[in-house]
């Protein structure tokens, strides 16, 4: 008599996605729990099953990996990337050599055979897809698995992805203990999608909770995650399901399934590359799915979906972890304003500041906010504007001021001061305040190595006060300057209507700015360099500009002397509009400027746009009389802005010298491993370290630096998150981007995407300069460009001022120009209307 084989009792090890389960999150992880929850509210999900977290626990205990993990983490002395990667490598190696427990393997085999020929394995940790911590993209998933042994290997890799360096760091940042985590694995049928993407049930740009945004691409959705594909965007009114706006993306590559398993990337062929990824009926289905899931979960959701054989199925959903909601038109307008304001501020701070920079900037911001507090506005404190997390990660937070009833009288007085131009003239900055700065600087440029720790601290605070006084001086004429600007702009709107900006820009062009003077001297220096036969010969031999300047040939003596004089005069200039102690100046690194000197220059292109005529209802004599009365103050304010930046650069030099001296001394005292690690300390911590001793303090300082260094990449990633500019009602179907009108005129040209100094050679005569933002060193490019389009910036930014000087159109603060526009493609730039359009022969 033969016995019947025993089928393993796998109730604790495996749950089918069509079963009911009470302890879903703890036993199935975030993805598995959310899939079953969506099934319960009527959403179509793929067929499959989920390995419980108990499978993971049995695996790590039976293979003795659990104790090995504890040993490795116990020896982890820091959260530095190198240390985390080394720990992750050791832990994941243990997983690679272990085998799946027999009971678990039997469960997997039984259910796999029921699903068919191809499945997907997705990690599902018990601490992911939560409202406060998404863990998005941190754990592994595997597609189009064709056989049982391959599935077992994929399951082990999903389990081991719980211990990647980035996952360990993310848990540490969110306060999740390592001993509490476990990994479930969702295994479901693989659907070779014709289209796939994401639904955001709340507009991620404006925060409008009455709108949904659908991202869609052809093929498998990992193309979006991996950055292979740019999605089509469809903005939907949540209540009615009506499409408000859609953007068609150019489809270059797609991810497809291989017949023998896995995936491949292929080029998209016409005409598929130039049409929407999904049909109207699929859009309607997605809108309904988004509403149903959001209602079921009770919060805005981020939903991943696939379309297969005309049916939409959801494969994953998680709560949106950002707080960015708005509902009324007023709130939406305020959110949009914050995005624009953030874009202007990011031109001044295009990269995240270090802790040392932040501490040096806080006093300046606090003083400025205190001055503006006279207006009656309820303004945040400086520390609430430039925030620093315990990890050292720094963020820029835009909080709009509030006006209460009690502050109305103060605000009215503030408005009157603006309108009636009380205060000093901006021209007094050069006459009175600049000489004070020049007389105080020599005292701060002494040999710091000979000073005591007490004197170093004293010099730091003196340098801080000197730098802050540069901006404090502006408060004496702030009301008169900005009051005149507001009054002139209002007057021109009345006189010229929609064309007022063209008139305003023409009136404030051709000013004698420090930036303009530097540009002229750079042009003269560049001409001298290019005219030198020895320079031309060395460049022809492949030497870089910096190497040419360092060459000792006698024929280059005159060029070297001229260059040294230029650096001596303007060496404090940096590539940052607001210099920080950590900013490198031209004097610190002359190579920052030598590359610009070899760029072909064309400085005679002042094609100023002819201003329009005023409305006939207002006499021209009255227009000119009132304009001429206000204009001198406005022009002086524009010049003053450039003078303040120039003075600020000079005043920041002592702060940088003190920071470098701190780094040198703290390294000698063995508080720092490298001198430039001083950037990761706040100024107060660094100054305290000069006198502090003991191993406890040394260990604490080093640990802070390690944590802050690890947070630096996250800070860089979060500092300027891309925001797509979505507009409804585009002009003749050609409008691509809308930004701020910064310099008038309309031109057609070829886009040149310039992301940094290394791309300067890509810009040819007549191209449209497309960049994140510009700084004074980029001025040489404006002579070649026919127009400027930038992600960041405002009407008084460097790009705006220089574009008006050269008489070329400029559209700034587009948020995503460097991502949306294609290098080498022709566009129309309308600097008067503030839009960028597809090339349309009828517009120009």
């Amino acid at each position: 008599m033969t016995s019947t084989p025993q089928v393993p009792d796998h109730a604790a090890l495996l749950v089918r996605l069509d079963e009911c389960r009470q302890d879903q999150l703890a036993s199935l992880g975030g993805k598995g729990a959310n899939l079953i929850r969506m099934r319960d509210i009527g959403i179509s999900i793929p067929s499959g099953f989920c390995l419980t977290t108990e499978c993971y626990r049995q695996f790590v205990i039976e293979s003795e990996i659990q104790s090995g993990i504890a040993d490795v983490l116990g020896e982890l002395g820091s959260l530095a990337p190198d240390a985390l990667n080394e720990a992750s490598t050791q832990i994941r190696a243990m997983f690679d050599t272990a085998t799946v427990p027999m009971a678990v393997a039997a469960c997997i085999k039984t259910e796999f055979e029921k699903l068919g020929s191809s499945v997907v394995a997705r990690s599902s940790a018990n601490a992911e897809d939560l409202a406060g911590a998404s863990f998005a993209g941190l754990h592994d998933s595997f597609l189009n698995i064709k056989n049982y042994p391959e599935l077992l290997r994929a399951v082990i890799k999903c389990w081991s992805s719980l211990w990647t360096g980035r996952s360990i760091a993310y848990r540490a940042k969110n306060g999740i203990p390592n001993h509490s985590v476990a990994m479930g694995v969702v295994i479901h049928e693989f659907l070779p999608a014709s289209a796939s993407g994401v639904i955001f049930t709340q507009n991620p740009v404006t925060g409008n909770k009455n709108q949904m945004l659908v991202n869609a691409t052809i093929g498998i959705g990992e193309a979006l995650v991996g950055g292979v594909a740019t999605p089509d965007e469809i903005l939907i009114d949540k209540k009615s399901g009506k499409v408000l706006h859609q953007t068609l993306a150019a489809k270059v590559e797609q991810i497809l399934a291989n017949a023998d398993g896995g995936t491949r990337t292929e080029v998209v062929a016409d005409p598929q590359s130039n049409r929407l990824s999904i049909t109207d009926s699929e859009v309607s289905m997605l809108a309904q799915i988004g509403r149903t899931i959001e209602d079921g979960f009770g919060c805005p959701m981020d939903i991943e979906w696939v379309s297969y054989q005309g049916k939409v199925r959801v494969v994953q959903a998680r709560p949106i972890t950002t707080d960015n909601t708005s509902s009324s038109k007023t709130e939406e307008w305020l959110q949009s304003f914050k995005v624009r304001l953030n874009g202007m501020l990011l031109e001044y701070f295009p990269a995240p500041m270090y802790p040392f920079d932040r501490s040096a900037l806080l006093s300046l911001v606090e003083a400025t906010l205190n001055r503006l507090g006279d207006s009656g506005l309820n303004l945040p404190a400086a520390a609430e504007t430039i925030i620093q997390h315990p990890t050292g990660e720094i963020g820029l937070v835009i909080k709009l001021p509030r006006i209460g009833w009690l502050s109305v009288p103060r605000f009215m007085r503030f408005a009157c001061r603006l309108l009636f131009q009380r205060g000093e003239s901006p021209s007094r900055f050069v006459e009175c305040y600049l000489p004070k700065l020049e007389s105080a600087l020599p005292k701060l440029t002494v040999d710091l190595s000979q000073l005591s720790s007490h004197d170093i601290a004293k010099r730091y605070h003196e340098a801080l006060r000197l730098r802050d006084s540069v901006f404090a001086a502006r408060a004496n004429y702030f009301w008169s300057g900005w009051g005149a600007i507001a009054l002139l702009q209002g007057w021109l709107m009345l006189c010229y209507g929609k064309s007022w900006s063209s008139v305003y820009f023409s009136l404030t062009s051709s000013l004698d700015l420090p930036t303009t003077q530097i540009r002229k001297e750079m042009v003269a220096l560049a001409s001298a360099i290019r005219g030198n036969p020895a320079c031309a010969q060395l460049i022809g031999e492949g030497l870089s500009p910096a190497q040419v300047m360092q060459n000792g040939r006698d024929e280059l003596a005159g060029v070297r002397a001229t260059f040294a004089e230029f650096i001596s005069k303007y060496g404090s200039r940096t590539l940052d509009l607001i210099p920080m102690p950590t900013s490198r100046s031209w004097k610190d690194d002359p190579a920052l400027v030598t590359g610009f000197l070899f760029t072909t220059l064309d400085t005679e292109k002042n094609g100023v746009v002819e201003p329009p005529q005023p409305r006939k209802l207002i006499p021209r004599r009255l227009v000119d009389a009132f304009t001429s009365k206000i204009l001198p103050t406005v022009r002086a304010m524009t010049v003053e802005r450039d003078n303040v930046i120039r003075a600020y650069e000079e005043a920041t030099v002592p702060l940088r010298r003190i920071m470098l001296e701190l780094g040198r001394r703290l390294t000698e005292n063995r508080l720092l491993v490298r001198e430039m690690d001083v950037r990761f300390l706040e100024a107060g911590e660094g100054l305290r370290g000069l006198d502090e001793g003991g191993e406890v303090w040394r260990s604490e300082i080093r640990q802070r630096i390690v944590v802050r260094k690890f947070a630096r990449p996250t800070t860089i990633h979060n500092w300027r998150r891309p925001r797509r500019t979505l507009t409804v009602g585009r002009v003749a179907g050609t409008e691509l981007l809308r930004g701020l009108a910064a310099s008038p005129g309309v031109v057609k040209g070829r886009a040149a995407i310039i992301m940094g100094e290394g791309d300067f050679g890509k810009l040819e005569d007549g191209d449209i300069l497309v960049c994140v933002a510009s700084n004074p060193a980029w001025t040489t490019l404006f002579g070649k460009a026919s127009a400027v389009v930038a992600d960041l910036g405002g009407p008084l930014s460097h790009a705006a001022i220089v574009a008006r000087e050269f008489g070329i159109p400029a559209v700034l603060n587009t948020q995503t120009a460097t991502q949306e526009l294609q290098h080498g493609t022709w566009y129309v730039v309308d600097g008067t209307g503030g839009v960028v359009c597809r090339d349309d022969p009828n517009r120009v």
Side-chain angles (χ1 to χ4, degrees), residues 259-282:
D260 57 349
T263 61
R264 69 185 185 278
T265 301
E266 279 193 2
V267 174
V268 180
D270 290 333
Q272 197 176 19
S273 62
N274 294 311
R275 67 187 182 196
L276 206 63
S277 304
I278 52 179
T279 64
D280 292 343
S281 62
E282 287 172 322

Side-chain angles (χ1 to χ4, degrees), residues 662 666 669 671 683-693 697 701:
L662 271 177
L666 294 177
N669 296 344
L671 265 74
E685 294 171 331
L687 293 171
R688 178 185 170 190
L690 292 176
D691 298 317
E692 289 282 353
W697 173 243
I701 282 291

